[in-house]
Amino acid sequence: MGRLRVQHCVVNMTTRQYGPNPTSDLLGIDYFHTVPADTEFPRTLAKLELFVRFFGTDGVSGRVRVTVSYLWPDGTDRELVYRRLFDVAVHDVTGPVVLDRGFKLINVLVPGEGTYAVRVTRRVRRPWEANSGWRVLAADYIQIARAA
């Protein structure tokens, strides 16, 4: 895979894609997600979607990992609550390419009220490093709170 970058990364309730390009409609974009006042945690969010616009310098192919992390009030990671690999590919294309993708995040178990980071990462492979890890391509955030 050539160099892969992300321009947009947006958490929403529904991503509709249609047409030959495709055109993308993002519905339910809200950084604040309220749950009923009597909600007990942990709670499962049945569905979130993540819209991502990728740019590739030599086509787009490979895998990305989407994670959801529960954050401490200072913004550091508290707990990883969701992780899934997704294939990203445009076949038979050379040169620069733009790819819009919607990822469905199903049954995200949230342990409590607070801020969550939704990140798109890609495996970094460097032969000279034993454990190269994952590089964050983009992130978005949501706040979960009980309704007043």
Side-chain angles (χ1 to χ4, degrees):
M1 178 175 0
R3 181 165 180 193
L4 186 66
R5 296 181 314 235
V6 172
Q7 180 186 19
H8 298 297
C9 174
V10 181
V11 175
N12 60 86
M13 296 310 292
T14 303
T15 302
R16 292 188 316 197
Q17 293 183 312
Y18 53 90
N21 290 340
T23 298
S24 299
D25 290 337
L26 308 181
L27 307 173
I29 297 173
D30 192 351
Y31 297 101
F32 299 96
H33 184 79
T34 57
V35 294
D38 62 348
T39 296
E40 293 194 24
F41 290 97
R43 177 183 177 87
T44 300
L45 299 178
K47 183 182 92 165
L48 286 174
E49 291 201 27
L50 182 66
F51 170 81
V52 181
R53 176 168 288 156
F54 293 98
F55 285 90
T57 56
D58 190 22
V60 175
S61 64
R63 296 183 118 186
V64 295
R65 183 173 74 173
V66 175
T67 62
V68 179
S69 296
Y70 187 31
L71 302 179
W72 289 105
D74 68 359
T76 57
D77 285 4
R78 180 183 215 169
E79 180 181 353
L80 182 66
V81 299
Y82 183 87
R83 175 179 50 207
R84 182 162 173 217
L85 289 172
F86 292 95
D87 290 322
V88 178
V90 174
H91 302 289
D92 302 327
V93 176
T94 58
V97 68
V98 177
L99 175 66
D100 288 353
R101 278 288 310 268
F103 299 110
K104 294 181 185 332
L105 312 181
I106 307 296
N107 296 329
V108 178
L109 184 68
V110 293
E113 293 182 88
T115 304
Y116 291 80
V118 181
R119 297 182 179 110
V120 178
T121 62
R122 179 172 176 228
R123 167 87 72 203
V124 177
R125 292 194 175 104
R126 296 183 181 120
W128 59 90
E129 293 180 15
N131 185 10
S132 299
W134 295 84
R135 179 172 57 99
V136 176
L137 297 175
D140 199 8
Y141 300 86
I142 58 171
Q143 179 77 31
I144 295 180
R146 286 186 175 102

